[in-house]
Amino acid sequence: MMRRYVLILLFFAVLLVPVVLRRFMVHGQSSAASGLRLVIITPDNQDIRREFARAFDRWHREKYGVGVTIDYRTPGGTNDIERQLISTYAVYRDRAGKLPEDVPADIDVLFGGGDFSFDQLKAIGLLQPMHLDPALLRTAFPSSALAGVRLYDKNLDASGAPAPRWVGACLSGFGIIYNPDLYQTLQLPPPRTWHDLTDPRLNGFIGLADPSHSGSVAAALMIVLQRAMADAEQELFTTEPRFVTMPAAQRKKDPEYQAAIPRGWKRGMRDLTLIAANARYFTDSAEIVPTDVSRGEAAAGMAIDFYAHVTEDVVGPARARFVLPPHATAITPDPVAILTGVKGERLELAMHFVEFVLSKQGQLLWALPVGAPDGPTVRALLRPPIRQDVYADRRGWESLGDPFTEAGNFNQRGEWMALFTDCRMIWVAAWIDSRDELKKAYASVLSEPDPTLRAALLEKFSDLPIEMKDVAAMSAQRAAQPPEQLDLWRARERIRWAQRFREHYRAVEERK
Amino acid sequence: MRSNRQRSSAAHVVTAVLLLLFFAVLLIWPICQVVSSGFLARGGGLTFAYVGLIFRDPVLVRGLVNAISIAVAVTAITLALSLPLAILSVRYEFRGRGVLNSLLLVPLVLPPFVGAIGMKMVLGRFGPLTQLMGAPPLGIDWIGRFRVAGIIVVEVLHLYPIMLLNLQATLANLDPALEQAAANLGASRWRVFWRITLPLLRPGLFAGCTLVLIWSFTELGTPLMFDFYTITPVQLFRQVLEVSSSPLPFALVTVMLAASALLYLAGKVALGRSSDAAVGKATTAASPQRLHGVRGLLAACALALLFALAVIPHVAVIITSLTATGQWYKSFLPAQFTFAHFGQALVDDLAFPSVMRSIEYASLATLLAVSIGLAAAIVIVRSSLRVRGLIDTLSMLPLAVPGLVLSFGYLAISVSAKRRLGMHTPRFLDVQEFPVVVLVLAYAARRLPYVVRSAVAGLEQTPRDLELAAANLGAGRFAVLRKITAPLILANLIAGALLAFSFAMLEVSDSLLLAQRSDYYPITKAILDLSQRLGDGIYIASALGVWAMVLLTLTILIANSILAKKMGAIFRV
């Protein structure tokens, strides 16, 4: 009986230990929610969320005299957030797909994710115009684009003044994170280009995230495709100089030009398929890739710059290094926006948040080291600011580089990005849904002893039975679907294409 | 002896009606809602398109096949492990049997998906297992090559105690007379086992196999932690964000529910369920046979070996929680140890609040479960109402109905309410905005069986005489309940409440699916989130796991000390 009472006492002691110990560890921090409340949905990690919550609260107190508590919603990656927002607002749409004027908004701000994703949400009316101070916009964005990539949405209000539905909060670059120790064991030179990840010796050593869940990896995959398309365009310009001076509208209608770009797309898809074949897995969370690379579970993977920098910071350069493929990566904005339906005081508070993000204080928070004035308090965020003027003084964060000088001449094209949504579905169908058949076919190809035949088989293996025009046609069909049929149509298309890819892999395996 | 039952009073009738209403709202309605949502087109009207789509999608079909295959494999291996151990631990006496028997319950103290964190470290390409195998230069990709096997192993090591408890309880209750008679007639040991013992064990086999089969079939956390996505529970989890706009997740849940029911029926056909009379309750206990010398040592080693295997995930989680960030690389043990992650968990914006949220939800859920459970137990044991059997079945139903199904049921109710009521949807019904109420109700419903079983065990042991005496002296029903009944079964209620509390603290499916806001994350959702976080996330997740492990260990020890042999009844359908 005594033993039972001792156990019960121990139980309550263990239950309450965290509560008691925390009081000793957290000094002078108010745990009570202060002042106003702002609801933000974000794919950003814990460090970013914590630092911006603290810094915005302080900034708002100083400027407006009242603190703010940020209530974060974190359902997952960029694509997960996109799906949730679409799904949440879908409940309020009428039969014609329109949202009512007084649609309720549970969430105020969307913070972080890819610019493409924000454009998608903007296109379906989920982001509202922000009437920001024109002076702030001019100061934050002396130029509206960086290497051809818009830094904020070009929407104008009725008077012609900028009323962007999203603005860039910081910059992102996509590259390769690799484990030098493991690369040395594999006797491979460090990767420099995306094509380096297609090496068959990396079979089972590449970490990849599922592009239907991770916006950052989906963006990286699109960059590989766009680079290949841009290369094909460049080759055409070299062999047919007349295209260089031809007006763009006329060029696009030329049959030779129209044939060249899809050839580039196909080449890009080949590389991506070989990278996918080397993949050890497709994880839901893009953060797992750099962690696995640093632990040696994977030798390399695609990653967004700041994930890679954080990992490198933790384990050191012997186990994690990051490389931006030269002229094959785009520096893109990581935006912030206010959701449709936010009104009154909530809208005002949301605007204050955007104002803070674009302020010098907000911008420096991304880059400064821990302990610097206006810097982070626990861990450096290691992300390039989007305001060009803050790069004038980079003391303490020189290692982040200056994307305004480093951005190469590689531009992402808006008209090519239009393929993005349906490319994602094709990637999932080709590499994830058909994974078993893909792995068997790849293993069978790699086991071919004759090098010439093996190379030919690899060529055949990576030549998926799909053309760029098929993806364009899919986009048109998707746009024509009634909203209540869209999920069924998407599922059926995915099943159809996955079946086609399975047949292709089986034919390769059976040498047909 | 006076019967424990009494003529049903108005109080019993009212209680029974309220209980049936409770079960209807918390169990039946969600199941009906989720099934109907799978057949409802977005524009209105009935449709079979989504259910049809599931069977036309090879990926979803493969998910179902994988889920069933893994469940069958886990059940078969668990049975193969547990049956000989149950016989060894009940029928034989040897040195260390008591201690080892208690230690075999240790796997219950850690949810398998937390154990999977530890197993991922152990099975890492350059992890301890690879180091033991000679550390080839490129390591061994255990998880890449043997992902499914890893999931099966983790689930077996977690679930075998459920099977073991059921088999031990059934074996202990067997009348040895039949076996002795068969032996006297010249039957060999093997023949006696095959022709007499095994058929008599069928109730325990059925109960254990059913529970393990359905739990494994619907297990979400372990495959998720192993990044294995071609399995129905994970496919459902990945679709939870689309519940407002697509009936497909609900259609998949319906198919999963149908598959669970079919698995249950298959188990019933294969193993059946003998009536109590046929089981032959022992009038005398069979004396365990003493094993001496080498035989005793071998028996103890067998139990010890299983225990050693079973605690690998726990040890791995403990070591991970003590590993300095990034310092377990190409070595059997970490290069550097630290307690910092425990401290970090206390100040982490996600970790610590999740502990407080879990304590809050589990406390409320336990209060609710104890109130409902006690009421149900009184109706089941003390009343003679015809519906008491139905109430007994309904209170045990959460053990058999997958947590995923109930969670999606609550989501379906929320989505339906938002569609009908729009901006006027009450906050407590908007799960995506405010999941607390639904989480508490879900936890209470899922853990109700523990309280009911404990309270029933207590009431069955407590004769009615004292209650009748108090009533005769003029005490009202509530006074009798408060001053006589409750104190007499207090120990059982505490055991049931503690089990309900601790398992609610570490509830996985409901937490992962229903808590979509980080400020409402219970501890299990926080652990999943942290395990995917860059830097020190996995170490903080492990620190939380260790704390949870200690809490659950104490719970099991307290419950075991109160319930002793009735402990197995907690996990019996």
Side-chain angles (χ1 to χ4, degrees):
Chain A
M1 187 63 113
M2 188 56 145
R3 181 171 166 264
R4 192 184 296 171
Y5 288 133
V6 169
L7 288 173
I8 291 173
L9 273 170
L10 267 175
F11 172 85
F12 283 105
V14 167
L15 194 64
L16 296 171
V17 146
V19 181
V20 171
L21 282 181
R22 180 168 160 102
R23 287 192 188 279
F24 289 99
M25 295 194 67
V26 178
H27 297 295
Q29 284 184 33
S30 165
S31 59
S34 54
L36 307 170
R37 181 173 159 264
L38 182 70
V39 183
I40 297 182
I41 191 166
T42 178
D44 285 335
N45 64 35
Q46 165 81 347
D47 294 326
I48 293 172
R49 298 198 305 260
R50 179 186 51 237
E51 298 299 343
F52 268 84
R54 183 198 51 77
F56 178 55
D57 178 42
R58 199 175 101 178
W59 177 88
H60 204 272
R61 273 179 209 280
E62 284 168 5
K63 188 161 185 187
Y64 296 100
V66 63
V68 181
T69 303
I70 296 186
D71 170 4
Y72 283 113
R73 311 294 169 84
T74 54
T78 307
N79 294 343
D80 293 327
I81 287 175
E82 208 180 299
R83 291 208 319 268
Q84 177 167 329
L85 287 174
I86 292 170
S87 182
T88 303
Y89 278 88
V91 172
Y92 303 112
R93 290 187 189 273
D94 60 24
R95 283 193 181 273
K98 274 199 150 86
L99 285 169
E101 281 290 323
D102 56 348
V103 63
D106 298 331
I107 298 166
D108 301 317
V109 169
L110 171 57
F111 183 38
D115 54 333
F116 179 76
S117 182
F118 277 67
D119 279 335
Q120 294 281 91
L121 294 172
K122 170 189 127 179
I124 57 174
L126 297 195
L127 308 181
Q128 61 171 285
M130 295 183 285
H131 299 279
L132 294 164
D133 178 3
L136 173 63
L137 264 182
R138 274 196 303 275
T139 312
F141 303 106
S143 168
S144 61
L146 172 62
V149 178
R150 286 202 69 87
L151 299 179
Y152 59 90
D153 172 54
K154 60 184 182 222
N155 187 58
L156 303 172
D157 65 16
S159 66
R165 291 182 189 262
W166 59 262
V167 291
C170 66
L171 293 169
S172 298
F174 300 91
I176 301 169
I177 181 169
Y178 70 101
N179 184 319
D181 181 42
L182 195 43
Y183 256 73
Q184 202 170 24
T185 313
L186 284 164
Q187 294 176 335
L188 288 172
R192 288 280 168 259
T193 67
W194 300 112
H195 184 76
D196 291 341
L197 299 182
T198 66
D199 191 323
R201 287 173 290 178
L202 288 167
N203 184 17
F205 281 97
I206 300 293
L208 274 181
D210 182 339
S212 66
H213 285 264
S214 165
S216 60
V217 163
L221 299 178
M222 198 60 192
I223 285 168
V224 175
L225 270 187
Q226 289 219 16
R227 177 72 262 172
M229 290 156 80
D231 285 345
E233 188 188 55
Q234 197 52 47
E235 281 162 19
L236 184 69
F237 288 173
T238 307
T239 54
E240 299 283 339
R242 61 187 170 95
F243 283 106
V244 179
T245 49
M246 194 184 286
Q250 189 186 340
R251 188 165 64 220
K252 281 177 192 164
K253 289 182 188 154
D254 188 287
E256 219 175 317
Y257 183 85
Q258 285 177 347
I261 303 303
R263 271 202 304 272
W265 183 89
K266 201 72 200 246
R267 234 184 288 156
M269 280 296 288
R270 262 200 243 277
D271 267 2
L272 288 179
T273 301
L274 290 172
I275 294 172
N278 281 340
R280 182 171 172 260
Y281 52 57
F282 281 90
T283 176
D284 268 3
S285 167
E287 289 180 74
I288 288 179
V289 172
T291 302
D292 277 358
V293 167
S294 72
R295 287 182 51 220
E297 301 301 325
M302 292 181 170
I304 197 170
D305 52 6
F306 74 100
Y307 285 172
H309 290 314
V310 167
T311 307
E312 204 172 340
D313 208 37
V314 167
V315 300
R319 283 164 56 186
R321 295 207 82 153
F322 182 65
V323 60
L324 283 171
H327 306 295
T329 189
I331 308 292
T332 59
D334 204 10
V336 59
I338 300 175
L339 292 168
T340 296
V342 179
K343 291 182 178 55
E345 283 174 4
R346 285 174 61 199
L347 176 59
E348 198 182 326
L349 187 58
M351 292 288 286
H352 290 174
F353 182 75
V354 176
E355 188 192 325
F356 165 71
V357 167
L358 292 180
S359 68
K360 253 193 168 166
Q361 205 173 333
Q363 286 293 299
L364 284 171
L365 187 60
W366 292 114
L368 284 171
V370 173
D374 290 336
T377 54
V378 176
R379 195 171 286 126
L381 303 182
L382 300 173
R383 300 199 69 173
I386 202 164
R387 266 180 75 147
Q388 195 168 0
D389 58 343
V390 304
Y391 286 86
D393 180 3
R394 285 164 49 213
R395 276 176 296 172
W397 52 284
E398 297 89 342
S399 60
L400 276 187
D402 181 349
F404 289 91
T405 51
E406 285 167 7
N409 60 0
F410 176 60
N411 300 342
Q412 289 208 87
R413 313 276 185 95
E415 72 263 32
W416 293 350
M417 288 300 283
L419 297 171
F420 197 19
T421 299
D422 300 291
C423 274
R424 265 197 302 224
M425 195 231 290
I426 292 301
W427 295 333
V428 169
W431 309 329
I432 298 175
D433 290 353
S434 329
R435 184 128 192 92
D436 289 349
E437 289 80 6
L438 179 153
K439 291 302 279 183
K440 280 186 197 156
Y442 194 51
S444 136
V445 166
L446 294 184
S447 66
E448 171 57 53
D450 180 344
T452 312
L453 185 54
R454 188 167 62 240
L457 283 170
L458 265 178
E459 187 76 21
K460 186 178 176 190
F461 166 81
S462 58
D463 182 13
L464 294 180
I466 185 167
E467 306 297 329
M468 192 173 118
K469 65 178 191 304
D470 297 320
V471 181
M474 212 181 300
S475 298
Q477 282 170 25
R478 181 171 46 82
Q481 296 300 313
E484 65 273 11
Q485 293 289 319
L486 196 54
D487 56 344
L488 268 176
W489 174 85
R490 245 201 309 255
R492 284 178 183 139
E493 278 296 292
R494 207 189 78 240
I495 293 170
R496 185 171 73 86
W497 280 101
Q499 185 53 31
R500 204 152 144 183
F501 295 132
R502 279 190 206 101
E503 284 161 9
H504 165 74
Y505 295 132
R506 274 189 215 115
V508 169
E509 188 190 355
E510 291 160 17
R511 307 284 194 266
K512 285 188 186 149
Chain B
M1 189 173 110
R2 195 196 293 273
S3 162
N4 260 346
R5 300 202 184 281
Q6 62 193 77
R7 214 159 38 94
S8 300
S9 65
H12 285 155
V13 172
V14 169
T15 307
V17 167
L18 288 173
L19 282 169
L20 288 171
L21 199 62
F22 173 83
F23 290 128
V25 168
L26 278 194
L27 292 178
I28 309 300
W29 184 22
I31 295 172
C32 293
Q33 186 70 50
V34 81
V35 170
S36 64
S37 297
F39 292 95
L40 204 64
R42 280 187 59 194
L46 191 67
T47 178
F48 291 90
Y50 293 95
V51 174
L53 191 70
I54 290 165
F55 292 104
R56 289 211 314 275
D57 186 346
V59 175
L60 292 179
V61 170
R62 200 174 306 169
L64 275 168
V65 169
N66 283 339
I68 292 171
S69 308
I70 288 175
V72 169
V74 167
T75 306
I77 297 171
T78 306
L79 183 60
L81 270 178
S82 304
L83 187 54
L85 284 175
I87 293 169
L88 202 57
S89 59
V90 172
R91 291 288 169 85
Y92 297 92
E93 179 65 55
F94 48 89
R95 215 168 170 165
R97 184 187 80 153
V99 170
L100 284 168
N101 228 7
S102 301
L103 287 177
L104 285 177
L105 297 183
V106 162
L108 287 174
V109 308
L110 191 67
F113 101 109
V114 181
I117 296 179
M119 288 306 283
K120 274 176 82 169
M121 302 300 271
V122 169
L123 298 175
R125 193 189 287 270
F126 296 103
L129 188 58
T130 299
Q131 303 305 315
L132 278 177
M133 303 294 280
L138 288 176
I140 303 172
D141 190 5
W142 300 103
I143 293 178
R145 281 198 241 163
F146 308 114
R147 200 178 300 270
V148 172
I151 293 169
I152 291 172
V153 164
V154 169
E155 289 185 16
V156 165
L157 292 179
H158 175 74
L159 290 173
Y160 81 79
I162 310 279
M163 183 84 76
L164 189 64
L165 283 171
N166 275 279
L167 290 175
Q168 283 175 333
T170 312
L171 262 174
N173 276 329
L174 282 189
D175 191 338
L178 288 167
E179 291 167 316
Q180 286 163 359
N184 285 341
L185 288 169
S188 68
R189 267 192 147 141
W190 178 248
R191 206 173 156 80
V192 170
F193 173 76
W194 191 250
R195 298 293 296 270
I196 307 292
T197 315
L198 207 51
L200 291 175
L201 276 177
R202 278 166 81 186
L205 281 172
F206 173 74
C209 287
T210 309
L211 271 177
V212 170
L213 192 67
I214 291 177
W215 281 24
S216 174
F217 175 60
T218 58
E219 168 63 10
L220 168 61
T222 309
L224 198 57
M225 207 51 93
F226 273 94
D227 296 316
F228 184 63
Y229 302 125
T230 322
I231 190 166
T232 306
V234 177
Q235 289 169 335
L236 272 169
F237 176 69
R238 295 168 102 210
Q239 290 185 33
V240 76
L241 297 170
E242 293 176 77
V243 289
S244 300
S245 61
S246 174
L248 186 61
F250 300 116
L252 190 55
V253 173
T254 304
V255 170
M256 174 186 237
L257 182 61
S260 286
L262 281 171
L263 284 172
Y264 178 86
L265 284 170
K268 196 154 186 181
V269 164
L271 295 164
R273 188 161 194 188
S274 313
S275 67
D276 282 350
V279 169
K281 279 214 166 71
T283 50
T284 57
S287 306
Q289 190 183 329
R290 182 92 203 160
L291 292 176
H292 298 280
V294 172
R295 293 172 78 188
L297 186 64
L298 282 173
C301 284
L303 294 188
L305 180 65
L306 180 61
F307 168 71
L309 285 173
V311 295
I312 289 175
H314 304 67
V315 172
V317 169
I318 293 171
I319 294 177
T320 307
S321 72
L322 296 170
T323 303
T325 304
Q327 295 304 309
W328 200 357
Y329 180 68
K330 288 188 172 179
S331 57
F332 184 74
L333 285 174
Q336 208 178 320
F337 288 93
T338 179
F339 283 100
H341 305 306
F342 289 92
Q344 193 56 39
L346 290 172
V347 299
D348 188 88
D349 293 344
L350 189 62
F352 181 78
S354 74
V355 169
M356 298 309 295
R357 296 287 86 73
S358 285
I359 292 175
E360 198 181 299
Y361 303 155
S363 303
L364 290 170
T366 303
L367 270 171
L368 188 58
V370 167
S371 311
I372 305 289
L374 180 59
I378 289 172
V379 169
I380 292 165
V381 178
R382 289 287 192 259
S383 82
S384 54
L385 289 173
R386 281 201 191 136
V387 293
R388 67 181 190 277
L390 176 63
I391 288 174
D392 191 12
T393 303
L394 286 172
S395 64
M396 289 297 112
L397 196 61
L399 280 180
V401 174
L404 277 178
V405 172
L406 284 178
S407 301
F408 267 91
Y410 300 132
L411 276 170
I413 291 170
S414 176
V415 166
S416 172
K418 279 172 84 165
R419 271 211 189 103
R420 278 185 231 275
L421 303 172
M423 299 161 238
H424 305 291
T425 307
R427 196 158 175 248
F428 73 89
L429 271 182
D430 188 352
V431 171
Q432 284 150 330
E433 165 71 14
F434 184 68
V436 175
V437 172
V438 175
L439 274 173
V440 168
L441 290 174
Y443 290 171
R446 300 272 296 138
R447 301 306 154 196
L448 188 63
Y450 301 157
V451 180
V452 171
R453 275 282 178 262
S454 301
V456 162
L459 280 172
E460 282 175 344
Q461 287 163 359
T462 309
R464 265 197 323 124
D465 299 353
L466 291 170
E467 293 168 15
L468 286 174
N472 283 340
L473 289 169
R477 286 198 184 279
F478 188 66
V480 169
L481 176 65
R482 194 165 51 88
K483 292 187 174 177
I484 307 293
T485 317
L488 284 173
I489 64 168
L490 185 62
N492 290 71
L493 282 180
I494 289 173
L498 279 175
L499 283 171
F501 177 84
S502 298
F503 280 101
M505 285 276 294
L506 296 169
E507 176 61 43
V508 176
S509 319
D510 295 327
S511 306
L512 296 191
L513 286 167
L514 297 174
Q516 292 175 29
R517 282 179 55 169
S518 57
D519 52 340
Y520 290 122
Y521 275 6
I523 194 171
T524 40
K525 189 78 187 261
I527 287 175
L528 178 68
D529 222 44
L530 285 164
S531 72
Q532 295 173 347
R533 196 169 87 185
L534 283 176
D536 58 1
I538 197 163
Y539 307 98
I540 297 176
S542 300
L544 281 181
V546 169
W547 177 80
M549 222 190 304
V550 172
L551 199 71
L552 259 183
T553 303
L554 290 167
T555 306
I556 302 262
L557 288 173
I558 296 168
N560 207 29
S561 76
I562 295 171
L563 296 171
K565 287 185 181 158
K566 297 264 183 181
M567 184 76 167
I570 299 293
F571 301 106
R572 271 200 258 150
V573 286

